[in-house]
Amino acid sequence: MKHPNIEQVLTYQNQNVIDRFIKLYNVEQTEAEQLFDDVKRWLWLASKTDSLGINKPLVIDSALVVIDEMWHNFMLFTREYCAFCNEYFGKYLHHAPFAQVNARQQQKIATDGSDNKQALIAKKRWQYELVFDHLGKDTFIRWFQRYPQQYTSLSLAQRALTAENQRTQALKIEIEKRKTSMAGAA
């Protein structure tokens, strides 16, 4: 298994992945680039857990839903994703969905009270420490403070709906222009 440093992994570029994410969620170019870099960070860290002897999977929960969406987006470019994984990690990095039951349990714990919330944080502490220790304070803050405030499942769905409505409206305008042009030619 390969063990590249994070700087090597971050050199990988794929504008098609970024462009599709922009189209889907109507985010700015710089934000999509940051999210794609964060997916590469996530994948690097997931790969690194093996070399660190950690036998626990990294879990993308509701705080990191936007990273999960960018990862899904990257995986749809199957050839490129497979080549990326093989080149940098020597193997395909699989994606296992976060079970809805676990999501509901974590939501209940997070809203039930401070004791339960502290238990959830303690359960995830190893992952928080891993992110902080290997990816730094800035990434930690972005992932666990900024992204959960800026991107929720609902806000991403609303962004996708808005983007789709804008594309639909643009197509309607184009169709009307063509109809007018064809009528004028006749």
Side-chain angles (χ1 to χ4, degrees):
M1 181 161 163
K2 298 179 179 182
H3 301 287
N5 63 44
I6 188 63
E7 290 79 18
Q8 291 169 311
V9 174
L10 290 174
T11 63
Y12 176 82
Q13 299 296 313
N14 189 321
Q15 191 61 44
N16 291 329
V17 172
I18 291 168
D19 289 345
R20 184 174 186 277
F21 198 83
I22 291 169
K23 180 180 177 184
L24 287 175
Y25 295 107
N26 202 22
V27 298
E28 296 295 323
Q29 175 79 26
T30 55
E31 186 72 5
E33 290 169 355
Q34 179 69 67
L35 289 165
F36 189 48
D37 281 348
D38 281 340
V39 166
K40 293 179 281 186
R41 285 181 180 90
W42 178 266
L43 294 170
W44 175 81
L45 195 60
S47 173
K48 189 164 182 64
T49 59
D50 289 341
S51 67
L52 294 172
I54 297 171
N55 292 327
K56 300 176 191 177
L58 289 178
V59 176
I60 290 184
D61 58 13
S62 60
L64 301 176
V65 67
V66 71
I67 292 175
D68 196 38
E69 288 303 315
M70 179 60 90
W71 188 5
H72 296 165
N73 186 56
F74 187 15
M75 292 179 77
L76 290 174
F77 295 87
T78 56
R79 286 184 186 90
E80 292 89 342
Y81 180 73
C82 286
F84 168 82
C85 289
N86 287 329
E87 179 178 344
Y88 292 100
F89 311 120
K91 66 178 185 176
Y92 183 86
L93 297 181
H94 292 274
H95 181 297
F98 186 64
Q100 189 61 32
V101 171
N102 289 339
R104 281 194 297 269
Q105 287 172 344
Q106 286 195 6
Q107 182 63 32
K108 184 178 183 319
I109 289 170
T111 58
D112 252 358
S114 62
D115 289 344
N116 287 332
K117 193 170 188 174
Q118 291 305 318
L120 178 61
I121 290 170
K123 184 177 178 182
K124 294 180 175 185
R125 179 172 299 281
W126 75 272
Q127 185 169 308
Y128 296 150
E129 289 174 354
L130 190 71
V131 170
F132 191 92
D133 292 347
H134 293 277
L135 298 175
K137 181 180 178 181
D138 291 341
T139 299
F140 181 86
I141 289 170
R142 190 170 55 252
W143 287 13
F144 298 108
Q145 288 182 357
R146 190 174 72 113
Y147 286 166
Q149 292 173 359
Q150 187 174 356
Y151 300 107
T152 63
S153 294
L154 179 59
S155 73
L156 286 169
Q158 289 169 334
R159 283 175 169 270
L161 180 60
T162 299
E164 187 60 33
N165 286 339
Q166 289 171 346
R167 284 191 297 277
T168 300
Q169 188 60 33
L171 285 172
K172 286 179 181 178
I173 291 169
E174 182 62 29
I175 289 169
E176 287 305 314
K177 284 181 184 177
R178 289 183 185 193
K179 283 181 182 178
T180 303
S181 173
M182 289 173 60

